[in-house]
Amino acid sequence: MFTGRAVIAVKILRPLGDWSAGDVVLLEDWKAKELWEARIVEVIDETDKVIGEIDRAIAEERENEPLMPLPAGLYERAEFYMYYLENYVRMNAGEGIETINVKLTKLANLKKKLEHLKTIRFNKILKAVMLRPNSLELLSRLSPEERRIYLQLSKIRNEWLGEE
């Protein structure tokens, strides 16, 4: 699930290697997950920052006809914070109701906005496949997940139309 393409800010809770308790470090998403589950680090909740990046990406997609490049690791960071918020709520169910409600609201907002961005971009990818299959220029603007979709759909399109 986590690929190491996203960098997550964490606070060290117990000394680990060269890190002391209280240090704030950036870790690959899979390392942050493992250390958070082991309660060695505390995830610094940057969900609002990711939601802001998604909002900006949605606005850019609406304003521009071609697909625009996304910030590196945006999908991965969004996926990480969805995982974090879901598990935070599950693991801290006894915590104050207000804190839990804030986390659940952030989670719902993040999921909704990410789905909206993916829908916009998927529709643009479908259109691009029809008009410009296997375009290297277009590939450079896509995330790794989107590249896979674009290339597979381009292959299917070309096979269907006999343009291999």
Side-chain angles (χ1 to χ4, degrees):
M1 176 175 175
F2 297 116
T3 61
R5 288 186 297 220
V7 178
I8 307 298
V10 298
K11 181 178 178 183
I12 306 299
L13 297 176
R14 322 193 285 255
L16 179 69
D18 293 337
W19 299 323
S20 303
D23 288 352
V24 174
V25 298
L26 298 174
L27 298 176
E28 292 175 313
D29 53 8
W30 66 272
K31 290 177 189 173
K33 174 189 178 286
E34 294 294 321
L35 294 175
W36 180 65
E37 288 178 352
R39 302 203 189 273
I40 295 171
V41 302
E42 175 184 325
V43 172
I44 296 174
D45 188 348
E46 293 187 332
T47 306
D48 292 332
K49 180 180 171 187
V50 172
I51 289 171
E53 288 182 60
I54 292 171
D55 283 339
R56 283 188 292 284
I58 289 170
E60 282 188 32
E61 291 301 331
R62 284 185 180 147
E63 294 169 11
N64 298 289
E65 185 56 34
L67 282 153
M68 301 303 294
L70 292 175
L74 180 61
Y75 287 141
E76 292 87 355
R77 282 181 286 125
E79 293 292 332
F80 177 87
Y81 285 109
M82 285 190 300
Y83 151 82
Y84 164 72
L85 292 169
E86 287 170 352
N87 285 287
Y88 182 94
V89 167
R90 188 176 49 77
M91 293 165 53
N92 298 289
E95 203 168 297
I97 191 75
E98 193 169 310
T99 302
I100 297 300
N101 282 340
V102 166
K103 299 285 187 191
L104 287 172
T105 301
K106 282 183 181 185
L107 176 61
N109 196 15
L110 178 58
K111 283 183 174 182
K112 182 178 129 191
K113 289 181 185 275
L114 183 61
E115 181 181 338
H116 186 57
L117 176 62
K118 284 182 172 182
T119 299
I120 290 170
R121 289 186 64 87
F122 185 74
N123 287 329
K124 284 188 171 187
I125 289 169
L126 287 175
K127 190 175 180 180
V129 165
M130 261 324 287
L131 301 174
R132 297 173 55 199
N134 296 319
S135 163
L136 292 177
E137 177 195 350
L138 198 68
L139 276 172
S140 70
R141 297 183 195 161
L142 301 176
S143 72
E145 301 86 354
E146 293 169 339
R147 277 188 209 114
R148 185 178 58 82
I149 293 166
Y150 176 72
L151 290 171
Q152 286 179 344
L153 289 174
S154 291
K155 181 180 181 220
I156 292 166
R157 175 219 180 262
N158 291 343
E159 287 172 0
W160 177 256
L161 296 177
E163 296 179 7
E164 290 184 69

